[in-house]
Amino acid sequence: GKRGENWKEITMRSYIYPRGTKLSWHNDQGYKAACVFYTHPRWSVSWGGELFIADVDEEFENALPSKLCGPLDHDYRDRLIGERGIGRYVYCKPNRAVLTPAPIWHTVSRVDQDAGDYCRCSIVCFFR
């Protein structure tokens, strides 16, 4: 945050993604930042679960109608994320911590069936 800025709230949550699960595109609106710490003991680069971060054009986002899209309204996110269609990914390496500013559009890719009984596990801190 800015110099002299104090966090009013820090919350922590654990997340477990077994094979076949994912997280939809979202932007953690209402928070200043988030930090994800991967707690699983082992992960393969072939098992999915990557953190994808979209490179979004802020002017295009501000020009889109209705930022109050519901979780079932994919048109807004499809247009926003697809406008540039590029971004970055972070492999969910065990014991890695990833700090992201909010609001930043991101998703967790689907955990592949090849993961078997291994789960993508993390603790996420949200700063408000």
Side-chain angles (χ1 to χ4, degrees):
K2 297 175 186 169
R3 179 175 269 187
E5 181 178 49
N6 294 319
W7 304 115
K8 295 179 180 169
E9 178 181 276
I10 299 174
T11 58
M12 297 174 71
R13 296 182 187 148
S14 59
Y15 290 90
I16 299 175
Y17 294 86
R19 62 184 166 192
T21 60
K22 66 175 188 162
L23 182 63
S24 297
W25 285 100
H26 64 286
N27 69 355
D28 291 343
Q29 192 168 12
Y31 294 100
K32 295 285 186 183
C35 182
V36 58
F37 178 71
Y38 299 111
T39 60
H40 42 257
R42 179 171 178 250
W43 202 253
S44 169
V45 296
S46 300
W47 292 348
E50 297 90 357
L51 172 66
F52 285 99
I53 301 169
D55 184 3
V56 172
D57 182 333
E58 288 182 34
E59 287 183 32
F60 182 78
E61 180 177 14
N62 293 332
L64 280 176
S66 180
K67 288 188 152 193
L68 301 173
C69 64
L72 300 178
D73 179 10
H74 297 279
D75 185 55
Y76 177 83
R77 287 175 286 177
D78 288 349
R79 291 178 62 195
L80 177 65
I81 309 280
E83 170 66 11
R84 285 189 174 160
I86 60 173
R88 299 173 290 282
Y89 86 93
V90 179
Y91 167 61
C92 44
K93 183 177 180 177
N95 295 315
R96 170 176 278 167
V98 181
L99 181 64
T100 58
I104 191 168
W105 285 92
H106 60 285
T107 187
V108 172
S109 69
R110 188 176 309 279
V111 174
D112 194 89
Q113 295 298 323
D114 290 347
D117 290 337
Y118 287 93
C119 294
R120 180 192 186 274
C121 303
S122 61
I123 296 173
V124 181
C125 295
F126 296 98
F127 303 88
R128 188 184 309 264

